Amino acid sequence: MSFLHRLRPRTLDALWLAGLLAAALLVYGTSLTYPFFWVDPIDIGLAASRDIPTILTNSQGYLYYRPFAFMLWKALYTLSGRYDPFAFHLVHVVCHTISAWLFYALARRILGDRTPAGIAGLLFVWYPASYQAVTWVISPQVQAMPFLLGSAIAYTDGRTRGDRRRIILSLLLLAIALPFHENAASFGFVIAALEGFFVAGRRIGEQEGRRVSPWPLAHLAICAAFAALWFAVPKDPDSAVARFEPAAGWYLLQGAIWPVAGAVGWWRDGLDGPAWQPLILTAPMTLLFLLAAYAYARRLPLFGLGLSWFAAMTLPIWATRGISYVGISPRVFYIAAPGAILTWAGLLSLDLRSPNVNRVWKMGLGLLTALIVVQSAAFLGVRKDVHDQATTAIWDVVRIGQSAGDEASLLFVNAPDQITPRLREYPVGFFRAILMPVSVDLGQYTELQTGVRPATTSLSVPWLAGLEHYPHQVDMRGPPVGQAELSAAIRAADGVYLTEYEPGGRVRVVEAGSVTPAAAEPYQATFGGRAGLVNATLTPEGDRRRVALIWECLARFDRQDTIFLHAVDGDRLVAQSDGDPLRGLFPLSECRPGERIRDVRFIEAPPGADVIRVGIYNRLTGERLIAIDANGQSLPDHAVVIGQVTR
């Protein structure tokens, strides 16, 4: 600490700003590689279909009126000539970083010390609930935040220095923030709270006479005018009604006491329900502790500022939204976060008027701050890992759709809707990753980025997902189906794709194959008079081989008949990929004579010169169907050699 105090103020400021940038990139840098997800295609599509006058005057087809957000999306399209997810994610990372810098500047003015201000900036960058707002590109809170914080800084400087030009700048910045997101309409109350903090804390110069200023009324008037415009502009009816649900209130309260809430959430194992008891017990105690600390240090105005900021941004949400909405919407905390963070970081600026007490207090706060930072980093690390490994599935969908074309009809099985970490870090709500919800057709993700829109169907076959080995809970797209309905959907599709959930957390969508009418082509071999192998291709793909097998059904199969694919070294089996066609989705017994199966599967590529062979056997008896080659000769081991893996 003494080393930091010896640095020049500008040098210290530069170090904190660089550190905040590094912290933001550490957590959110990989989001620059994410595709569009969630309902991005719907909302961005609405902006794409409207001209600027319509955006400013009409919001029908949308629940909200956010004209500046729509205009920003159109501007990004104009600059790059397409809807590029990198540009959208870059805007969010940049806005989040700028907001962290501005919050550091505001906290430095309010707390009076660069060290607690820097810690406040770090807590803002790593505020746990922000992960959803920063990674989801149509969340305009992130775009509005720099203007909100800029307004607060301008008002602080204007009021404490008696500079009305800065206060007018504050009004202008607030006016710019409002059309990004309607939550900004509550920011006028934050300006009022700042005024109360200045007056109660005697932070106003003598030239102002320490009087209450009328300028907050001007901020409130701008907010009220925008609120009136917001209600007047035509848009879809919203289901929000005054409710004040207790469950939603407890959920929102977690944002104010997030270090404590995050420490007690694990009391309830799993995701079976909210853990009300630990939250009800610890929340009042936490607030009383904060109140007592600020009262003892005679800094109650600071506590009131932080609490007022948080309340101004969350009370409208509590009043109009139920737990079914807020319980999966941590983005609602983003604009409220500075208030909560000021309350906790402000503890570092308290003077308890006794050297011995202060020494113990600072040591305890140092430990508490370290624990909060570690807790936040761990929470965000899990969400970062989920998004890093699961959004690859959306890129797969985009690539598949673009390759298939507009006329294609594609079936996706077990695609992820949302993924929830199994540990409930917070007592109430679900802090999950929403990826490809059923409200969006998968073809829309391809269309937004490439202009190609194939027809898609989503179904789930839970028993084939292998989720018992996946580290998180997965809600999959589409209703669960039985074999008859699944087979009918497979026959109706041009291509079938299955989602793989790997034990390490990665999610990817791979081709399973297709079922089409047979064509008149010669066979490489026939098997028991029931199937003919038309073609087999072997393609390297990373550390494994992609095998595409073309079968024609000649007669009905036994229920236990299935395919084997073996890599052998002499008589030694070194790798295999056995099972029903289409990754297990279409048993051979489902195949009708006159149908063709394109069966795509993968086999590991072990070291050595390994022969890869394919055939059909009965899984119950182990007996292989007799394999006859094109010349009518019986094949050794009743298997066809389709390739080698060369050393």
Side-chain angles (χ1 to χ4, degrees), residues 8 49 129 145 165 175-176 190 197 202 212 214 300 321 347 434 441 451 456 460 470 514 531 558 624:
R8 292 182 178 181
S49 63
M145 179 65 87
R165 290 175 300 178
I176 296 174
V190 174
F197 170 72
R202 299 183 178 182
V212 176
L300 279 177
R321 298 292 181 183
L347 295 173
I434 302 178
D441 183 88
T456 72
S460 61
Y470 190 68
S514 61
D558 185 274
R624 295 183 178 183

Side-chain angles (χ1 to χ4, degrees), residues 144-195:
M145 179 65 87
F147 298 102
L148 297 178
L149 292 171
S151 175
I153 292 172
Y155 186 82
T156 298
D157 289 348
R159 190 70 176 97
T160 56
R161 301 176 186 177
D163 187 345
R164 295 189 179 185
R165 290 175 300 178
R166 293 177 183 264
I167 295 179
I168 293 173
L169 175 61
S170 171
L171 288 166
L172 176 61
L173 292 173
L174 178 59
I176 296 174
L178 288 166
F180 277 105
H181 197 280
E182 59 279 353
N183 278 10
S186 299
F187 199 71
F189 294 100
V190 174
I191 298 296
L194 278 171
E195 177 66 23

